[in-house]
Amino acid sequence: MTIAIHESALIRHFNTRKETLRAWEEKIGARFSPFRGFKMPDSRLYVEHPDFLDSIVDLIITNERHIFLRGPVGSGKSTLMLLALRDLPTLADRRGNKFITGYVGMTGLYEKQMSAAIADSLRIKYRRSWESSQIIEAVAQESVRRYIEEKSRTALFIEDVADNQEAAFHKLRYLADLPTEEMKDEYGTTLDEPVVTLVMSGTSMYWNAMLSFLPQIADRTEPLDVPPLNDDKAKEFIGRRLAYARGDIDKFDPDDFSIYPFHDDAIVVLNQASKGNPRDIRMLARGCQQVAAENYKRTGNPDVDVEIATLVATAYEYILKEVR
Ligand SMILES: Nc1ncnc2c1ncn2[C@@H]1O[C@H](COP(=O)(O)OP(=O)(O)OP(=O)(O)O)[C@@H](O)[C@H]1O
Ligand SMILES: [Mg+2]
């Protein structure tokens, strides 16, 4: 009996909370919570980092180094990869080569899974029955063929690269080292530069591990640190999400947008607490929504001011430290 009473009290509590949040959302003209997580985030929510994106793309184009996008969890590594993937197919390098891109987003892969995932991402055919070395050889041959016959280099994006099995790395290394000495002998000057550029992502801990365990790749890889959001970008991050929830995202103007009911100085507090990490800013903004919704219910004022932001940032400080 006691359990039933507790249960209903709990359900009532959650329902009231939901209604409170919903009332706040309605007040600010939102159709859903602006700070909910999306499985497939809409690219219209992305705050661009044009300079950083250019530096990634420039490195790929010059073809001197592989790339390791380095940053803490939630800093935007995957998002930047998607933006670079979007731009590359429209570009060419100084020799006039175009780009074919592949993206491996799964991790925890064994040798064969990695080989198959790479082949799939580059739309290269292989037989299920093949060994991983046969699959990777087919990828190598096709990448070289595309380079020579189609004047296309391959850019292969590998997420959280260190989360894969060690054996999978040797497959990556083989591609990273293409063309082989035999291929160079065979094709001469038509094949005198790397054919596959790797763009990998991971935390700095994994980068350090790669330096010690895979110096052969790491030595030829440029680590690039994902830039944190500055206050203006944090503001745009919030602004885009608010516009999205209002159904106004297509009219979003990065030079002139509203962050109502957020105050400017509240966003500065949130950005500082999250060290410019977009995932953490979203989490904090969600916390602010909850406090502001309770406040709105009591006072009729839906604002997220610096006081609310400070309260939430302080409460989350401990959690953010834990997950980092
Ligand atoms: N530039 C950005 N503009 C808008 N939202 C962003 C941006 N970068 C990241 N985000 C959002 O922040 C969250 C984390 O981003 P993302 O998944 O890209 O980070 P990550 O570094 O790949 O994280 P993980 O280490 O968990 O793989 C996502 O919800 C993403 O949509
Ligand atoms: Mg990621």
Side-chain angles (χ1 to χ4, degrees):
M1 224 36 230
T2 3
I3 289 170
I5 290 165
H6 279 299
E7 242 171 29
S8 67
L10 203 63
I11 288 167
R12 226 180 310 119
H13 167 78
F14 278 117
N15 283 341
T16 319
R17 218 181 76 150
K18 238 201 274 173
E19 276 162 31
T20 308
L21 287 171
R22 191 58 222 131
W24 182 85
E25 285 159 15
E26 228 156 75
K27 169 72 181 167
I28 69 157
R31 302 170 183 175
F32 47 81
S33 169
F35 307 111
R36 75 181 189 194
F38 300 103
K39 267 210 193 80
M40 297 285 288
D42 191 307
S43 62
R44 292 172 297 178
L45 290 172
Y46 294 153
V47 180
E48 304 241 1
H49 292 275
D51 297 341
F52 188 71
L53 189 58
D54 283 352
S55 66
I56 301 174
V57 169
D58 283 350
L59 259 174
I60 300 175
I61 286 178
T62 53
N63 200 16
E64 277 155 17
R65 318 271 284 162
H66 300 291
I67 295 172
F68 189 95
L69 278 179
R70 183 168 62 183
V73 172
S75 57
K77 302 181 290 292
S78 303
T79 305
L80 275 159
M81 276 197 172
L82 294 175
L83 291 172
L85 276 165
R86 175 200 66 187
D87 287 355
L88 266 183
T90 65
L91 298 169
D93 68 16
R94 63 196 186 293
R95 295 187 179 188
N97 291 309
K98 288 175 303 195
F99 291 96
I100 290 174
T101 55
Y103 173 78
V104 177
M106 292 168 299
T107 58
L109 303 180
Y110 290 94
E111 219 173 342
K112 177 151 180 188
Q113 294 169 310
M114 176 61 89
S115 309
I118 292 172
D120 288 338
S121 78
L122 295 169
R123 296 160 301 279
I124 293 171
K125 292 209 176 74
Y126 57 92
R127 287 184 195 284
R128 295 268 156 218
S129 59
W130 286 2
E131 304 271 336
S132 58
S133 55
Q134 288 173 289
I135 301 176
I136 237 36
E137 191 53 37
V139 171
Q141 295 296 338
E142 176 62 5
S143 300
V144 168
R145 190 199 65 77
R146 288 172 176 176
Y147 180 81
I148 293 173
E149 291 178 16
E150 298 175 7
K151 283 183 68 90
S152 291
R153 273 167 48 201
T154 297
L156 186 57
F157 290 68
I158 312 275
E159 286 270 24
D160 301 304
V161 65
D163 289 344
N164 296 294
Q165 303 297 319
E166 203 189 321
F169 280 108
H170 298 287
K171 302 298 164 216
L172 286 178
R173 198 183 142 195
Y174 182 63
L175 297 179
D177 284 339
L178 287 176
T180 61
E181 291 306 319
E182 299 83 72
M183 288 169 172
K184 282 186 210 160
D185 288 345
E186 193 181 338
Y187 293 102
T189 51
T190 41
L191 202 57
D192 60 353
E193 65 172 347
V195 167
V196 177
T197 300
L198 297 182
V199 184
M200 300 162 278
S201 72
T203 62
S204 59
M205 195 177 91
Y206 283 135
W207 167 252
N208 293 336
M210 199 161 133
L211 274 178
S212 34
F213 296 112
L214 280 164
Q216 306 91 335
I217 297 189
D219 285 351
R220 291 186 296 116
T221 301
E222 189 72 28
L224 293 179
D225 286 307
V226 174
L229 298 181
N230 61 24
D231 290 344
D232 284 339
K233 287 196 158 65
K235 208 172 132 179
E236 187 182 329
F237 177 89
I238 303 271
R240 281 187 182 272
R241 283 189 163 261
L242 289 165
Y244 191 72
R246 289 190 181 113
D248 286 345
I249 190 68
D250 284 320
K251 283 182 267 157
F252 188 85
D253 175 0
D255 296 318
D256 180 23
F257 60 89
S258 150
I259 50 166
Y260 168 82
F262 280 76
H263 293 196
D264 277 4
D265 48 3
I267 293 179
V268 172
V269 168
L270 299 184
N271 197 36
Q272 195 164 26
S274 60
K275 300 201 169 66
N277 182 304
R279 189 204 54 177
D280 293 350
I281 292 175
R282 181 175 74 77
M283 207 161 94
L284 290 168
R286 218 182 149 87
C288 288
Q289 176 190 350
Q290 276 162 19
V291 179
E294 294 290 344
N295 222 18
Y296 171 60
K297 192 174 165 183
R298 276 186 293 108
T299 68
N301 176 4
D303 285 12
V304 177
D305 58 15
V306 72
E307 216 173 299
I308 292 181
T310 307
L311 188 79
V312 170
T314 312
Y316 275 76
E317 200 175 348
Y318 176 76
I319 301 174
L320 290 180
K321 237 184 253 151
E322 285 291 293
V323 297
R324 272 220 182 89

